[in-house]
Structure formats: structure tokens, C-alpha cells
Amino acid sequence: MTDPLPLDGVLVADFSRVLAGPLCTMTLADLGARVIKVERPGSGDDTRHWGPPFSETGPTYYESVNRNKESVCLDLREDEGRELARELALRADVVVENFKPGGMAKLGLGYDEISVENPGVVFVSVSGFGTAGGAHLAGYDFLVQAVGGLMSITGRADGEPTKAGVALVDVLTAKDATIGTLAALEQRRRTGRGAHIDVSLLSSLQGALVNQGQAYLGAGKVPQRMGNDHPSIVPYQLLQCSDAPLAVTVGNDRQFRKFTEVLGIPETAEDERYASNGARVDHREELTALLEEALAARTASEWQEALTEVGVPAGKVGGIDEGVALAEELGLEPTVDVQDRTGTTVGRQFRHPAHWTPPLASPTQAPPQLGEDTETVTKWLRQPRERQM
């Protein structure tokens, strides 16, 4: 007999769209929660129209963060739609929304309104810049990467500020929202009280700056773009081989000695300019030139194999396809097949990255079609609460 999933019995009312909110609620769904996604009639979540690329079942952007959910279309501009949405929020253990701050309250669906009748609700609000002075600002990942400082430290030193290759701030915010939700559910279990959790893209970005942010807060040093170099560790960068660059991450002096031995230049580790990490940081440019001169003798693949054998972390730059292949080769089982409501496999997606022992029998239902569950869910919401499914 399979054990219940960790969030079995938890009902999530998902009023969010695009990425941060939906990724949070998909994570909760992967852990067993029932997630009912509320969408605009006729159009639904914005990302239902973001493409190409498209899979056989729809836009891949939408599909990436909406599996294991039910979709119900409610027109929140109409009394009936708002009444059904309110009923859903009153039954929910968790409400997740990313309306413009104050938007849910204007609809009679804010935390203050819902918690009167549902005091145990965990209400999660996601915004771009918070609910105080930034409440009027539109929150988009690219914008927050720009104004929050991430772009200022990303890209070549002699190039323009650069965004990350994925909507990283949205993803970080989703994870922060999920952590807050799980903590609030545990607090509710102990106290019976719910909570209102505000998570903003700007705060999540700043919380993720870690050593770069602390360089400013603790030492007054404002980090700058350094391309693929690391501000505090050398060599921790891309180094050119005979055919392609190699990512080398030498984290300590012992690894550096092994690195130089494999390259055939062991005397480099004894040179006072390079013997310690601090010295290597001070002499970054001349050391890089010396290392690349040695690396030019062989291909990146050959160096990767030789360095890996002695425990020096190194690897070729690969595409996402190669990353998936590597994870599969290492037994990480990075993807899951997803099925439609008939049980037919319609694609695959990245699984939740946490591996459990004993394994979780997580659901693998494909993202819902727009309004696929409207009839079933609205019928349920019209029933007296004591007859809940």
C-alpha cells in the first residue's frame, strides 16, 4: 500500500499566472496537494499564448509550470464568478495569487476578507516590488534582474549587462513562496492559525545574491561584471583548450596542485604568485594565460577525462540536451512522462528535483486544457460545504 503524499488533503486555490506563482503551485501539486487553477474565460493564463515553441499539446512555456492541476474558468468581473472564486478561497487551505497588490481585495478576495471566515488559510501574495512603496510597479523578471543588480554582475566585463538565460528571479521567487507556504502549513498544524505571506521578486533576487550581495553589505565593495570569472576563487572559470573551452572549478590549494600536475606544470603550484588562492586572485590574468598555454595541447574532452580521474572538477560546456543526457547517465532520472486524463502519455517534463526514500508516488498528470474542469469544480462549489468532495 502506497503512503499518502506529504500534502495529500491540502486544497490550493491558484489565482496566479505566468511563472512564479504557477511554479509554486505546481510544486505543491507534485507533493500531493489538489490545485485548482482559476483562469480567465476564453484566454486563460498569459503563457497559454507564449510561443513558439509548441509541443503536440500546447505552448511549452505554459506546460513547464502547470502539471497536476485542474483548470476552472471564472469571470471575476461578474458577480457569479466572484462568488464561486470566494467559495473556493473559503474552502482552500492555501491561496496563491499574483494580482497587482490590492487587486484581490478589490474583488472581495483578499486575505482580510477571506480569513474572517477561513482563519486557517495560508494566503500567499507574489508581487514584483512588494506591497508598500513598490505596489504600483509592474513586476517582470527581466526588469527586476535589471534594477535589482543581477544584470550588473552578469556578462563580460567589457560588454553590456546581461540577463540570466532563464527567468531566474521568477524561479527563485517560486521557491521562496513554496518554502513560506510549507512553513505556514506547519505553523497552522501547531497553532491552528493561518498566515499572509508576501513574496516579491526584488526581495527574492536580493536574497539570492549571497556572497556578491554581502561583498557590498559587509565590505562596501560593489561587485562588477567579470564574465565567467569568479570574484574570490581562481581558477574558477572557462579556460580555452585546443578545440573548446573547459569549465574548471578549483576550490582549494590541494586541487590546484593536482591540476598543475595533470597539465604538466607542477612548478606553478610552488610559485608564490599562485601557491595560495588569494595570490592566484591577485595574479588572475597571468595565471590564466599560463594555464591556457598548457591546455592548448589537448582537447577539452581529453582534459575533462584526465582531470576528473584525479578529482579536479572540470567539464565541457554542453547544451540542455547534453545536460539531460548526463543526468540520465548518472541515474538522476531527471524527467517524468505525463499523461492526459485518459492515461495516454502526451510528453515528458522535468521532475521535481528532490529524491525521496522511500520514493514518493507523485502524480504525473499533464497540464490541463483551458477550462477542462470548470463544470466539475463549479458544481462542487455550489454544493454546501459539508458535502465537499
Side-chain angles (χ1 to χ4, degrees), residues 28-48:
L28 301 176
D30 285 348
L31 294 173
R34 180 188 181 191
V35 177
I36 298 177
K37 182 178 179 71
V38 178
E39 301 191 68
R40 295 186 299 269
S43 58
D45 192 312
D46 294 349
T47 59
R48 287 187 182 273

Side-chain angles (χ1 to χ4, degrees), residues 91-177:
R91 298 183 185 205
D93 299 287
V94 178
V95 174
V96 179
E97 60 93 9
N98 62 352
F99 280 62
K100 187 176 180 179
M104 287 284 278
K106 290 180 181 177
L107 296 169
L109 299 170
Y111 174 73
D112 290 341
E113 293 78 21
I114 297 302
S115 63
V116 171
E117 296 184 53
N118 185 4
V121 69
V122 174
F123 201 101
V124 182
S125 296
V126 179
S127 66
F129 297 93
T131 59
H136 66 291
L137 299 174
Y140 287 90
D141 178 278
F142 180 72
L143 174 63
V144 176
Q145 287 199 39
V147 302
L150 182 58
M151 286 175 63
S152 75
I153 58 172
T154 307
R156 295 177 59 89
D158 57 353
E160 67 177 7
T162 305
K163 70 178 182 67
V166 71
L168 183 63
V169 179
D170 276 329
V171 173
L172 293 168
T173 304
K175 291 183 180 294
D176 287 341

Side-chain angles (χ1 to χ4, degrees), residues 34 70-74 84 370-383 389:
R34 180 188 181 191
E70 300 167 51
S71 171
V72 55
C73 289
L74 299 177
L84 288 168
L370 179 61
E372 188 170 0
D373 305 284
T374 299
E375 182 178 353
T376 302
V377 172
T378 55
K379 181 179 179 180
W380 168 57
L381 291 173
R382 290 188 176 106
Q383 296 174 355
M389 290 167 49

